[in-house]
Amino acid sequence: MVISYLEFKMHADAVQSRIAAACLRAARSPAEVSLLAVTKTHPAAAAEYAARYGLRSVGENRVQEAVDKQPLCTAKIQWELIGHLQSNKAKLAAAHFDRVQSVDSAKLLTLLDRAAGEIGKTLGILLQINAGNDPAKFGADPADAPRLLETALACANLRIDGFMTIAPLGSTPEEIASLATRTFQNLRNIRDDLAAKSGAALHELSMGMSGDLEAAILAGSTMIRVGTALYGSRPPPVAI
Ligand SMILES: *Cc1c(COP(=O)(O)O)cnc(C)c1O
């Protein structure tokens, strides 16, 4: 990572302005929308920057990357897993994250519940729903969301905070905006419906990234996950 804290602060201030402007249009309070700093591929200093700026949490895509960075980050910050979780990493994830946003199967719920129980921890969970019906995305099928939630709410060591989604990638700005809006509205409707039916609050709607956070806030997002607009562009993934 090449940016300094002052550059980071300028970027973060700009993102806060975008949040405020979108909230104004949506007639919402900016206090309802939290900013998750996505530190994946960046060194531990990225998490230190987020903490120093006053953010509550950082998001990582890979379990091992977070495990490696955590000892290097002395600032107090919450760690959230936002990338796909493999079953064989569930135990490690339960130990090293405050919340896992990418839970999309009953099997993962069972494994995380057991792992959290073994270490006497209540683990925060968001259910990841493929609300844009994008074949390229992880996340449970919207039709399976009710059953997945039922399983989740029965897990004694998990706290189910709500839902997460990622919008499909369009190729033009217009297409990006319309796909994002459709996806985010869909997740909002799924949440409203399931909260009413289950009686659980399911407050958190984690949706929106650097390119589509305005559409997400208009649809009711309570947490935007922002990497590029805070830290600059990431190196392209290396094929292995
Ligand atoms: C990388 C990532 C983000 C951040 O994306 P930016 O476009 O860099 O803001 C958000 N959510 C998830 C799940 C990600 O993997």
Side-chain angles (χ1 to χ4, degrees):
M1 185 176 55
V2 285
I3 69 167
S4 66
Y5 176 72
L6 277 180
E7 281 178 279
F8 171 82
K9 185 180 179 304
M10 274 171 45
H11 293 169
D13 287 347
V15 171
Q16 297 288 14
S17 299
R18 286 175 65 187
I19 295 174
C23 282
L24 195 63
R25 275 199 287 147
R28 301 181 59 199
S29 160
E32 292 172 26
V33 183
S34 57
L35 172 58
L36 178 79
V38 177
T39 48
K40 66 185 184 201
T41 77
H42 299 297
E48 300 270 359
Y49 286 2
R52 185 168 160 196
Y53 188 77
L55 300 181
R56 202 187 52 202
S57 47
V58 293
E60 285 284 338
N61 250 33
R62 305 170 87 224
V63 177
Q64 191 58 50
E65 191 177 328
V67 170
D68 292 343
K69 280 180 205 175
Q70 283 170 354
L72 304 172
C73 176
T74 52
K76 203 172 133 39
I77 194 121
Q78 306 246 311
W79 295 77
E80 306 210 24
L81 181 64
I82 59 174
H84 178 64
L85 176 59
Q86 289 170 321
S87 320
N88 62 354
K89 295 274 174 63
K91 203 169 169 165
L92 197 60
H96 284 268
F97 287 90
D98 298 290
R99 187 158 73 174
V100 179
Q101 298 201 3
S102 47
V103 181
D104 61 1
S105 71
K107 182 182 174 190
L108 271 181
L109 283 167
T110 305
L111 292 171
L112 290 169
D113 186 39
R114 188 186 308 155
E118 280 168 8
I119 54 174
K121 170 173 179 176
T122 300
L123 180 66
I125 294 288
L126 300 184
L127 299 176
Q128 182 178 353
I129 307 296
N130 188 0
N133 298 300
D134 179 352
K137 292 277 187 296
F138 290 107
D141 191 294
D144 295 333
R147 218 170 17 160
L148 194 60
L149 177 64
E150 197 177 303
T151 304
L153 291 173
C155 293
N157 307 297
L158 304 181
R159 184 193 70 237
I160 315 305
D161 294 332
F163 298 94
M164 185 270 256
T165 198
I166 308 169
L169 205 58
S171 38
T172 65
E174 294 74 24
E175 196 192 5
I176 289 169
S178 92
L179 284 170
T181 297
R182 190 147 38 95
T183 301
F184 299 150
Q185 293 284 1
N186 191 25
L187 188 68
R188 166 74 185 266
N189 292 341
I190 290 168
R191 192 282 304 272
D192 289 355
D193 181 45
L194 292 179
K197 283 181 178 145
S198 69
L202 307 173
H203 162 80
E204 199 86 282
L205 279 177
S206 170
M207 50 191 201
M209 323 200 307
S210 293
D212 55 19
L213 66 90
E214 283 84 3
I217 289 170
L218 282 170
S221 173
T222 59
M223 173 170 268
I224 54 168
R225 309 177 305 266
V226 178
T228 310
L230 290 175
Y231 299 105
S233 56
R234 289 177 294 272
V238 184
I240 40 172

